[in-house]
Amino acid sequence: MRPTLLALGLALGLGGTPYARADTTPPSQPPLTALTKDSGTPEPAEQKRVHFDHAELHIAVHPDTQSIDGKATLTFSALAPTDVLLVDLDHDLPVSAVSVDGKALSAGAWSNPGGRLRIQLPHAVAKGGKVSATITYGGKPHVAKKAPWDGGFVWSHTKDGQPWVGSAVEGEGCDLFWPCIDQPDGKPDLVDLYVSVPKPLVAPGNGVLVGVTEQGGTRTWHWRAKHPTTYAVSINVGPYQELKGEYHSRYGNTIPLHYWYLPGEETQAKALFAEFPQLLDFFEAKIGPYPWGDEKMGVVETPYEGMEHQTINAYGNHYAKDGNGFDWLLQHEFSHEWFGNQMTNANWDDMWLHEGFATLMQPLYARWLDGDAAYYAWLNRLRMIIANRHPVVSGQPRTEEEVYDDSRGGPGQDIYNKGALMLQTLHHLIGDQAFYASIRELVYGRPDPKPGNFRLQYRTTADYMRIVDQVTGKDYDWFFKVYLYQAALPKLDVQRHGGTLDLAWQVPDNLPFPMPVEVQVGDTVHTVPMADGHGSLAAPAGALVTIDPHSVLLRDEPRITEFQQWMKQQRAQRKAAQK
């Protein structure tokens, strides 16, 4: 998803790299409609009547005019009788023709006033029947000002002036350039994407390359992908060179590896490409089989920071070094192949399932490579930037922007950082075996995933709560209700009375919170049960006492609040000095 750790580095004075190499200011353009701007608005009943079987997308990209021509044939199965098709498409890409099952419709049979294209079918389709609509459209797609934090196309150029184009549409959705069902669960079973570009440009895409054809001065790349996440269908155009390889999985299959990079970067590209097998081995060892092993692990260099485009992850980190020993952006986006593309939130309100797990994978990977020092250093940086202004989960359906936008009551970056640290606390609480068993069940829907024996999973927060209870045999609702459904962190009150240490959890709304607390007294570590939120421990006068010596508890800590307030003051002073 939208990268977050660069902001972390800047916040802590650790430096950073430019976000993108895109043109600085997009041209003036029509504003998006409210419907198009807000991905994940309530799904209309008409869309719930159909299942999305297949999308055949023909998209011609014209870098010279920053425009596209599109022709999309969409096939649906009727889950209930229907006489209408409803798909989402930005109304600034005018529709010029529509046909149903090969027969052209009159212009009065469709309309798209606000970004939801309504097609009146010539006759009703019965439950179990199929219907296919071909939509011809085109124009200037919305241009992102600062992708991927806002959605749209990025029209840029390489250093030698060649076209370099990318799409990033997570926030506003797939309807920015192709007619789709702009919902987390709106994935087609299959997408055939044909991207036509001026020769000699290259167009890497999702899934498997079916073929490349040429006609005059145009080259068309045909890609086929199974069950792609809607916003993860992507356009990438540039004078790319390609690195290829294979990864021999610990599950017995062989996974193709591909990296498309810009000319002149071969040395850096090869170094990044060398990380691919290492990344795959980590995730397959910790989580389970790579979900798209029969397609590819693909990465493409983009003129913006990054995005988890299924099997063709966008990478724009400029090969930056940050002392971690691996490329954090590459690793973060790749983790979304499991947490986002294989396991997808059923509603944007559950977005922490993508970002919290993906963020936790970074300190875990740092430990995998370099041990505990790297692990705890990463976790400490995450802890410094938790905001705690709004709950991570509201419990109500939400749009994407309502989750990411703090001003609209959303958790914002806490879905990354608080989500990850909450999971780290859970990991310690339930133990290694149960924690990873819960992740496998969440991601694959079964405890024994192997290539070919699992399906896509659409998940909610309630699903994961149920899974944790299932694998542990205990009720951990109290844990999630405090960390996910409350904004404030729990506080631990610590008092010494003579030779006794008294502990008490202070929790919003006085919710139950029987979180055990480890306390080191002298050289010995004790676990205080805290069954009713209170506990005590013998601590002789003068003995050194350390609360939570292994740093596993996510809690309110004054030292961190003071640091955050100081950083806020520093930013305000710098801003005032610039005026």
Side-chain angles (χ1 to χ4, degrees):
M1 295 293 169
R2 305 174 182 185
T4 180
L5 292 184
L6 187 55
L8 161 71
L10 295 173
L12 300 183
L14 302 178
T17 56
Y19 282 148
R21 280 174 269 186
D23 295 335
T24 54
T25 305
S28 60
Q29 54 188 329
L32 296 174
T33 65
L35 179 65
T36 302
K37 186 177 181 180
D38 238 357
S39 181
T41 53
E43 187 174 9
E46 294 92 335
Q47 289 185 341
K48 295 179 181 180
R49 295 176 194 162
V50 296
H51 174 78
F52 202 165
D53 298 326
H54 183 222
E56 181 180 312
L57 309 177
H58 295 260
I59 298 176
V61 180
H62 309 295
D64 55 339
T65 59
Q66 297 190 1
S67 64
I68 63 172
D69 287 312
K71 188 174 184 178
T73 299
L74 314 178
T75 303
F76 301 93
S77 296
L79 302 175
T82 186
D83 61 355
V84 67
L85 288 179
L86 229 58
V87 295
D88 301 301
L89 179 65
D90 182 5
H91 78 159
D92 292 325
L93 295 175
V95 174
S96 58
V98 175
S99 64
V100 171
D101 295 332
K103 296 182 180 180
L105 299 184
S106 65
W110 78 83
S111 62
N112 186 19
R116 184 157 280 155
L117 177 61
R118 184 181 185 90
I119 302 171
Q120 189 65 46
L121 300 178
H123 20 127
V125 180
K127 179 180 179 179
K130 287 184 178 291
V131 61
S132 178
T134 299
I135 302 160
T136 304
Y137 65 99
K140 290 181 176 289
H142 188 76
V143 177
K145 295 179 180 179
K146 189 179 178 182
W149 290 270
D150 71 319
F153 266 56
V154 177
W155 303 94
S156 188
H157 293 88
T158 60
K159 292 178 181 179
D160 61 355
Q162 297 187 72
W164 189 20
V165 184
S167 67
V169 298
E170 178 205 344
E172 289 75 2
C174 47
D175 49 331
L176 284 188
F177 73 96
W178 65 281
C180 62
I181 295 179
D182 185 20
Q183 299 288 337
D185 61 356
K187 302 181 185 186
D189 291 341
L190 187 70
V191 170
D192 280 285
L193 175 63
Y194 297 79
V195 184
S196 297
V197 297
K199 292 168 59 178
L201 297 177
V202 178
N206 307 87
V208 174
L209 180 62
V210 178
V212 182
T213 58
E214 295 187 6
Q215 184 174 4
T218 300
R219 179 180 289 165
T220 299
W221 298 72
H222 176 193
W223 296 94
R224 178 172 293 155
K226 293 179 293 186
H227 306 290
T229 300
T230 54
Y231 66 80
V233 175
S234 68
I235 299 293
N236 306 281
V237 179
Y240 290 116
Q241 295 179 354
E242 184 181 2
L243 291 172
K244 299 180 182 180
E246 291 182 340
Y247 168 72
H248 298 284
S249 166
R250 56 179 59 222
Y251 288 90
N253 56 322
T254 299
I255 301 171
L257 308 177
H258 297 263
Y259 178 46
W260 286 269
Y261 64 97
L262 295 183
E265 299 178 350
E266 184 175 6
T267 299
Q268 296 163 300
K270 285 183 175 179
L272 188 75
F273 189 64
E275 294 188 32
F276 287 20
Q278 185 173 265
L279 282 171
L280 273 160
D281 193 49
F282 166 76
F283 280 103
E284 291 208 324
K286 287 289 186 181
I287 311 303
Y290 177 59
W292 323 105
D294 57 348
E295 296 185 10
K296 68 177 184 297
M297 175 191 174
V299 179
V300 59
E301 189 175 2
T302 53
Y304 59 88
E305 190 78 0
M307 181 57 65
E308 69 278 14
H309 294 148
Q310 191 167 306
T311 72
I312 188 66
N313 277 308
Y315 171 82
N317 200 31
H318 310 286
Y319 309 100
K321 302 298 181 185
D322 58 11
N324 286 304
F326 64 95
D327 194 295
W328 72 265
L329 182 73
L330 175 70
Q331 200 266 3
H332 178 82
E333 303 304 347
F334 185 54
S335 67
H336 284 306
E337 297 285 22
W338 284 263
F339 306 104
N341 295 335
Q342 163 59 27
M343 181 279 299
T344 304
N345 50 220
N347 183 269
W348 289 107
D349 192 45
D350 304 299
M351 192 62 189
W352 77 273
L353 291 171
H354 293 200
E355 299 298 0
F357 278 102
T359 301
L360 179 64
M361 291 303 114
Q362 297 189 290
L364 288 174
Y365 189 52
R367 172 187 268 172
W368 171 279
L369 295 176
D370 297 309
D372 282 349
Y375 175 72
Y376 284 109
W378 202 296
L379 291 175
N380 190 59
R381 293 197 297 270
L382 294 179
R383 180 63 187 88
M384 294 297 176
I385 55 175
I386 295 178
N388 300 312
R389 283 189 286 269
H390 305 287
V392 172
V393 180
S394 73
Q396 300 295 324
R398 286 186 143 186
T399 66
E400 195 267 358
E401 286 301 323
E402 286 172 335
V403 172
Y404 276 93
D405 190 346
D406 179 87
S407 68
R408 297 173 68 174
Q413 297 291 296
D414 277 359
I415 62 176
Y416 297 80
N417 310 315
K418 190 174 183 178
L421 290 172
M422 178 274 294
L423 289 169
Q424 188 244 359
T425 299
L426 178 68
H427 186 178
H428 178 78
L429 179 64
I430 67 176
D432 209 59
Q433 182 176 355
F435 182 67
Y436 285 105
S438 75
I439 297 178
R440 282 189 293 275
E441 189 67 35
L442 175 75
V443 171
Y444 301 102
R446 59 187 302 160
D448 58 344
K450 297 176 183 177
N453 78 345
F454 54 87
R455 298 182 297 175
L456 287 176
Q457 301 295 314
Y458 293 105
R459 294 298 199 182
T460 65
T461 300
D463 287 334
Y464 188 58
M465 294 168 65
R466 172 184 53 78
I467 289 168
V468 170
D469 290 353
Q470 173 188 315
V471 300
T472 61
K474 299 180 180 179
D475 183 353
Y476 284 104
D477 280 12
W478 59 267
F479 177 92
F480 293 105
K481 286 179 178 177
V482 168
Y483 280 123
L484 294 180
Y485 292 90
Q486 299 292 323
L489 289 174
K491 296 180 181 180
L492 184 62
D493 181 65
V494 181
Q495 303 287 336
R496 292 185 78 159
H497 300 97
T500 301
L501 189 73
D502 291 319
L503 308 175
W505 283 112
Q506 298 175 353
V507 181
D509 296 335
N510 294 315
L511 291 169
F513 197 67
M515 173 69 76
V517 178
E518 289 185 347
V519 179
Q520 183 171 334
V521 180
D523 295 328
T524 304
V525 177
H526 306 267
T527 299
V528 183
M530 308 290 288
D532 62 350
H534 297 77
S536 60
L537 178 69
L544 177 64
V545 172
T546 304
I547 305 296
D548 188 26
H550 300 118
S551 304
V552 298
L553 295 177
L554 177 57
R555 59 192 172 104
D556 185 294
E557 298 180 75
R559 66 180 180 89
I560 295 174
T561 302
E562 291 171 2
F563 171 76
Q564 291 175 331
Q565 291 173 344
W566 180 82
M567 286 296 295
K568 185 177 180 179
Q569 293 170 355
Q570 296 300 302
R571 288 192 294 270
Q573 291 173 6
R574 286 194 295 270
K575 186 175 180 180
Q578 293 170 358
K579 291 183 177 179

